[in-house]
Amino acid sequence: MSSRQQPRRVARELALLSLSQLKSAPEQLERQDFNALVLAAVRALRSEAQEFLETAAGEVNRANERLLSSETRSANADSARAMLQEALGLTQGAINRLGSALDWPETLQLAGQTDVREFALELIAAVHRRRSEIDQILEAALVDWQLSRLPRLDLDILRLAVAEIYFLEVPQKVAINEAVELAKRYSDDEGSRFINGVLRRVSNQRGNAPAPLPKP
């Protein structure tokens, strides 16, 4: 079985795509509801990719205008370069999301498998029940940053990893590696490095902290 088809890896991806779309308690989700939840998340992700591309195109156009007038004003050239760099970053994010779209048919099909669906719901439920604790753990691991400033998907990747490490007894190395893999698919190079760094600090804190309380 390829790494892409591993049930838990697919479950993590489903959980990530579904978290922001959840309207009711995870325990109340039936199979059909869960599939609809995932489909809604996929559509939201597609819309986000389209917005990334539209914004990137706008930045490229503005940069081009600045470059055309750069002969008389050096500041325009500097501004144009900054705009192009921003556009490239946005384009990379959109490409990552659109590249993931190639796997969506397989993801939706695997969502019906019992082991995939059960672990995805277990992840979603852990984040749902322990949100305040998870966010406290992340805030303690952030350096000169705030949770509210993080991109939604980056934050959800971090929350899922912390839920696995603290409340689902997943080995820290596995949880961190899987979070970084998700970041490579749904974020960008900077995002994956940032997520890796935060989770390394979470892991260090975990090693120096008392054991968490049992799940309610």
Side-chain angles (χ1 to χ4, degrees), residues 58-131:
E59 289 294 304
V60 169
N61 287 334
R62 284 190 288 275
N64 185 54
E65 292 173 0
R66 293 292 178 92
L67 285 173
L68 290 176
S69 61
S70 64
E71 292 182 1
T72 56
R73 296 181 58 187
S74 61
N76 282 349
D78 292 337
S79 177
R81 281 192 289 269
M83 287 179 175
L84 286 173
Q85 186 174 7
E86 176 69 15
L88 287 173
L90 291 166
T91 303
Q92 181 184 359
I95 289 171
N96 285 353
R97 285 157 175 76
L98 292 174
S100 299
L102 296 175
D103 291 324
W104 287 345
E106 179 187 1
T107 299
L108 292 174
Q109 181 180 21
L110 292 173
Q113 294 185 4
T114 300
D115 52 350
V116 171
R117 180 174 174 274
E118 286 182 352
F119 187 58
L121 288 175
E122 186 178 12
L123 285 170
I124 294 170
V127 172
H128 183 76
R129 288 196 307 264
R130 301 283 198 155
R131 175 72 61 86

Side-chain angles (χ1 to χ4, degrees), residues 120-149:
L121 288 175
E122 186 178 12
L123 285 170
I124 294 170
V127 172
H128 183 76
R129 288 196 307 264
R130 301 283 198 155
R131 175 72 61 86
S132 61
E133 296 166 80
I134 289 170
D135 285 356
Q136 287 177 6
I137 291 167
L138 287 172
E139 286 171 352
L142 291 175
V143 177
D144 299 326
W145 206 259
Q146 295 178 340
L147 288 182
S148 60
R149 295 176 57 196

